[in-house]
Amino acid sequence: MNLTTLSSASSPSETTLSPAAARNKSKHQPGKDLDLPLKLQMASALAASGYYSRVNVLLSATSSRGLADVTDIDVLAIRYDLMFNRDAVAVSCKSGASKTLSPAREAFYLRGVLDYVEASQGVAAFSGKPVAPHLRDLGQRLGILMLSGGEIGQWCEHLTNGLSNPGYFQDAAFEDYIKSWTRLRNEGLADYLHTDYWFHFDFRNFQNLITHIRKMTFKFNGKEEWQNVIAWDVAAHLCLTVFDLCRQVRMLGLSSIIDTTAAYLFGGAASFKARRDLYTRVQQLLASTGVAGKGGPPLPPLEPTYSQYLAELAVRFIERPHSAILVPIIIQDNFWRVLGARGVPGREDKNFLAAEKLTQDLLDFVKTATGSVWMPRL
């Protein structure tokens, strides 16, 4: 992980100016990431072990101009339990052997990052720096696994022992992934996923992502590889947000899913009630003044048009949690297959087949909610 300069701000909402242009203008071109091979090695092992894994996840905090970049997580691996609770592993990767590289400082720093992103486990990997026994004890007290040298490869081998190698996170494929997103470098979608998504990680991601996708549906017809890469990547982000909704519905009761879904999209029951009351008062005011009378134009609906469809999707996920929690893994597999990976072997058990059906349901939802003419199919 690396601290970044607090010079680039990103917008926390749809209503303010997109930060893409400002960020791209103010950022200098980064040098070569010397830790990247180690990051890809760790991400590959975790992904093959059943985690949805990402590299270089940017973390932000609020500033006077919106959001500001603070640091990043070298590797973030996520999976979910049957109650749709998130279990995450954050990994710090250091390939250097400089005297200024302090495993102790990195361990304390990673502990803070774990708390910030609510990750349960941390791994600090130092490929060129030995870790003294007393620092391993420090890592144990902080809940961080400290690895050095050959231990890193050994740990990765243990994670994937007995599993097929799907070929994720290969150097060339990862480079193609980065190039795919550079085609949208000036679009709000790319900027939002890079920064705002991981800061919010809640209801705000749903409407914001749907809005961003709607603005650029005309660019996607599925005829080019990079479009498939982007579509699968966006679907994965939306899937994690659907899980957040499922967790709330599960806690509040399936019988109230319609109200819970609507409330979720507006940030909670209190916020939704306030907006609904305001909406009703505006309707009454317009009717009393004759602005909105019989035959006149009605107010646009308060809830997004896809709310009902989203509630139905959440029900399908909740009714088959064993299958639903596999959806990010299936998306990840198809994502890397587009980039040339061999992927995991197919399965014919009912649970996995149901997971594939739920994955397609999610893709169909994205297509309907955004008005897209195309989305990938399994």
Side-chain angles (χ1 to χ4, degrees):
M1 284 171 288
N2 301 296
L3 285 172
T4 57
T5 306
L6 298 180
S7 60
S8 56
S10 63
S11 168
S13 68
E14 290 280 301
T15 57
T16 57
L17 181 65
S18 171
R23 179 179 287 109
N24 289 330
K25 182 178 180 180
S26 63
K27 278 189 176 178
H28 63 277
Q29 290 296 323
K32 183 177 181 181
D33 186 353
L34 299 178
D35 299 324
L36 184 59
L38 182 56
K39 295 176 185 179
L40 298 181
Q41 179 186 7
M42 301 294 277
S44 177
L46 287 163
S49 303
Y51 285 89
Y52 170 70
S53 301
R54 300 197 65 85
V55 170
N56 294 333
V57 175
L58 195 64
L59 299 182
S60 305
T62 55
S63 73
S64 59
R65 294 182 295 165
L67 295 183
D69 303 345
V70 175
T71 186
D72 65 340
I73 304 177
D74 293 337
V75 178
L76 181 63
I78 303 172
R79 63 184 178 185
Y80 289 80
D81 64 20
L82 299 179
M83 292 290 291
F84 299 99
N85 295 305
R86 184 174 71 249
D87 175 35
V89 179
V91 183
S92 175
C93 299
K94 298 298 179 185
S95 59
S98 170
K99 291 183 179 180
T100 60
L101 177 58
S102 169
R105 184 168 60 244
E106 191 66 25
F108 280 114
Y109 183 68
L110 181 55
R111 179 67 261 171
V113 171
L114 293 177
D115 293 340
Y116 187 83
V117 299
E118 299 180 352
S120 59
Q121 303 170 71
V123 180
F126 303 89
S127 62
K129 186 92 171 180
V131 178
H134 69 284
L135 296 179
R136 295 179 188 274
D137 180 64
L138 172 65
Q140 181 183 20
R141 291 171 178 269
L142 295 174
I144 295 169
L145 175 63
M146 307 285 280
L147 300 173
S148 67
E151 294 175 330
I152 298 172
Q154 188 181 54
W155 182 75
C156 292
E157 290 174 2
H158 290 168
L159 283 183
T160 57
N161 187 19
L163 302 176
S164 62
N165 180 7
Y168 302 157
F169 289 98
Q170 298 301 304
D171 291 347
F174 188 76
E175 183 178 351
D176 288 341
Y177 165 68
I178 298 299
K179 288 179 179 178
S180 296
W181 274 109
T182 59
R183 293 174 176 268
L184 302 177
R185 67 168 62 92
N186 295 320
E187 300 289 346
L189 176 62
D191 195 77
Y192 188 88
L193 288 179
H194 186 60
T195 302
D196 301 59
Y197 178 90
W198 297 102
F199 174 79
H200 299 311
F201 214 62
D202 58 17
F203 69 94
R204 285 166 288 190
N205 284 333
F206 226 107
Q207 294 206 50
N208 285 336
L209 280 178
I210 294 297
T211 300
H212 280 303
I213 298 169
R214 280 176 175 167
K215 292 178 180 178
M216 50 189 307
T217 54
F218 68 93
K219 294 187 177 182
F220 288 83
N221 54 24
K223 295 181 179 180
E224 297 184 62
E225 180 182 284
W226 70 271
Q227 296 179 2
N228 279 272
V229 171
I230 299 299
W232 283 111
D233 204 15
V234 170
H237 285 81
L238 276 171
C239 181
L240 302 189
T241 308
V242 172
F243 283 175
D244 189 47
L245 169 62
C246 290
R247 181 171 58 253
Q248 294 202 30
V249 171
R250 183 77 282 176
M251 297 298 291
L252 296 175
L254 195 58
S255 60
S256 60
I257 185 170
I258 299 298
D259 291 336
T260 302
T261 301
Y264 176 82
L265 293 172
F266 287 94
S271 177
F272 178 60
K273 182 179 183 303
R275 293 202 180 201
R276 186 169 53 188
D277 290 345
L278 176 61
Y279 183 83
T280 301
R281 290 197 296 271
V282 171
Q283 279 185 318
Q284 293 172 345
L285 175 63
L286 293 179
S288 65
T289 57
V291 174
K294 292 183 178 180
L299 283 175
L302 174 62
E303 300 175 33
T305 56
Y306 56 79
S307 295
Q308 180 67 34
Y309 197 171
L310 177 59
E312 294 172 0
L313 180 66
V315 168
R316 295 179 203 142
F317 275 48
I318 292 170
E319 289 178 341
R320 302 209 60 156
H322 286 278
S323 300
I325 59 177
L326 296 177
V327 172
I329 308 304
I330 293 175
I331 293 176
Q332 178 173 248
D333 187 66
N334 282 272
F335 169 87
W336 286 109
R337 283 176 182 269
V338 173
L339 292 168
R342 66 179 63 89
V344 297
R347 291 167 48 183
E348 296 298 328
D349 59 277
K350 292 183 178 180
N351 191 51
F352 190 79
L353 293 175
E356 290 186 322
K357 175 62 169 61
L358 291 176
T359 303
Q360 189 60 60
D361 288 344
L362 174 66
L363 295 170
D364 292 342
F365 165 78
V366 177
K367 183 178 180 181
T368 301
T370 60
S372 301
V373 297
W374 169 86
M375 278 296 290
R377 297 192 65 83
L378 288 174

